[in-house]
């Protein structure tokens, strides 16, 4: 592909954002910036921000905007990359405005926002089958994207775990928070002319193909 792309993957929890963003970043040869993974890593490292964030995450609630904006901005600055695939940030209008301002100033604005559409009942089914590697944070799905060896991470052989926030009650809370706080971002990016919608249902490879086609066609 041509010059480095700057993309955001937007979608409800469990839409397959993490898996698709990781694969897409590999195909494009750019870093994958996943806010949830970075927060879980910070919590595992017991950094002050990580420990603060963990309390919100375990309840299925959003980490406050001022913490998120600072945390991701630091990470993007350290990366200094021309291209990237953002996954999980921004999630609120406040975060989107702060990110836009920062990237515009650095003359590396977001180019495409891919909205992965998956209905709520499908999301609930998916999240309850999800497993995460506690060591490298890679996610799997017991039916849709299983590891080569049952319950063991392909990358580092660690035994997979269920995230506390993938428990059924917390999943419902996360979906509620998503609709309250993130639904508005679709209009925000549609108005900016960045949004392309992609059907997130079906096989992993099918969805990846739709994402590639959507990038090729560009926002409409
Ligand atoms: P994820 O792995 O993307 O599902 O994120 C897991 C959790 O991390 C979320 O449920 C939130 O508690 C927190 N989180 C990740 N990204 C953000 C964000 N941009 N704004 C607020 N909270 C976030």
């Amino acid at each position: 592909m041509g010059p480095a792309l700057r993309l955001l993957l937007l979608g409800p929890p469990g839409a397959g954002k993490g898996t698709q963003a990781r694969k897409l970043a590999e195909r494009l040869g750019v870093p994958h910036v996943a806010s949830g993974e970075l927060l879980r890593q910070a919590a595992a490292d017991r950094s002050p921000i990580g420990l603060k964030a963990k309390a919100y995450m375990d309840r299925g609630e959003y980490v406050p905007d001022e913490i998120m904006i600072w945390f991701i901005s630091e990470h993007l600055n350290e990366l200094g990359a021309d291209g990237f695939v953002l996954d999980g940030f921004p999630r609120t209008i406040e975060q989107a405005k702060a990110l836009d301002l920062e990237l515009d100033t650095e003359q590396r604005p977001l180019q495409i926002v891919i909205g992965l559409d998956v209905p709520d009942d499908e999301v609930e089914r998916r999240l309850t089958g999800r497993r995460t590697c506690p060591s490298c944070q890679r996610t799997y799905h017991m039916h849709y994207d299983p590891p080569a060896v049952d319950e063991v991470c392909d990358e580092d052989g660690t035994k997979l775990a269920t995230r506390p926030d993938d428990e059924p009650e917390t999943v419902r809370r996360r979906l509620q928070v998503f609709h309250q706080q993130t639904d508005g971002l679709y209009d925000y990016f549609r108005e900016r002319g960045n949004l392309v919608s992609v059907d997130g249902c079906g096989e992993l490879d099918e969805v990846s193909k739709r994402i590639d086609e959507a990038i090729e066609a560009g926002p409409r």
Side-chain angles (χ1 to χ4, degrees):
M1 296 213 191
L5 281 176
R6 292 177 295 276
L7 287 128
L8 161 66
L9 240 70
L10 197 59
K17 275 191 322 287
T19 307
Q20 291 297 344
R22 182 171 43 78
K23 287 173 184 281
L24 178 61
E26 269 170 30
R27 292 200 293 283
L28 296 174
V30 297
H32 170 208
V33 180
S35 54
E37 278 180 24
L38 290 167
L39 289 172
R40 280 188 291 280
Q41 190 58 56
D45 295 343
R46 307 191 64 76
S47 79
I49 282 233
L51 294 178
K52 210 167 185 179
K54 190 173 184 320
Y56 293 96
M57 295 166 79
D58 286 351
R59 288 197 299 268
E61 285 166 18
Y62 282 179
V63 175
D65 283 340
E66 62 273 17
I67 297 182
M68 282 316 298
I69 290 167
W70 181 84
F71 182 69
I72 297 297
S73 151
E74 282 283 289
H75 186 75
L76 283 174
N77 282 335
E78 272 167 34
L79 263 180
D82 262 350
F84 43 75
V85 175
L86 280 178
D87 156 17
F89 181 93
R91 259 175 157 101
T92 65
I93 301 271
E94 203 61 39
Q95 292 176 14
K97 284 185 179 162
L99 178 74
D100 274 342
L101 193 66
E102 176 171 343
L103 294 179
D104 284 348
T105 310
E106 295 163 1
Q107 295 180 323
R108 48 171 185 166
L110 271 183
Q111 293 155 312
I112 304 178
V113 177
I114 297 163
L116 267 188
D117 295 332
V118 179
D120 285 4
D121 53 349
E122 173 66 11
V123 159
E124 287 191 36
R125 253 196 310 278
R126 287 187 185 190
L127 286 180
T128 46
R130 185 155 82 170
R131 299 292 180 275
T132 306
C133 172
S135 169
C136 74
Q137 309 296 328
R138 180 167 166 185
T139 55
Y140 297 87
H141 194 282
M142 296 337 281
H143 306 297
Y144 306 123
D145 183 26
V149 178
D150 218 20
E151 300 282 346
V152 171
C153 179
D154 289 348
E155 309 285 340
D156 53 29
T158 307
K159 185 164 172 19
L160 301 180
T162 302
R163 275 167 42 179
D165 58 345
D166 284 343
E167 300 295 340
E169 205 157 298
T170 317
V171 164
R172 281 191 286 278
R173 175 76 189 127
R174 286 166 69 199
L175 267 171
Q176 199 182 19
V177 170
F178 172 80
H179 290 306
Q180 278 166 358
Q181 306 212 41
T182 308
D183 276 355
L185 273 191
Y186 289 81
D187 280 341
Y188 176 87
F189 286 116
R190 197 174 287 117
E191 276 159 27
R192 290 196 53 135
N194 293 127
L195 187 74
V196 291
S197 291
V198 169
D199 178 5
C201 294
E203 296 290 322
L204 258 178
D205 289 346
E206 254 173 65
V207 177
S208 298
K209 201 165 148 245
R210 282 181 215 140
I211 290 177
D212 283 346
E213 285 165 0
I215 294 173
E216 203 67 43
R220 268 160 289 180

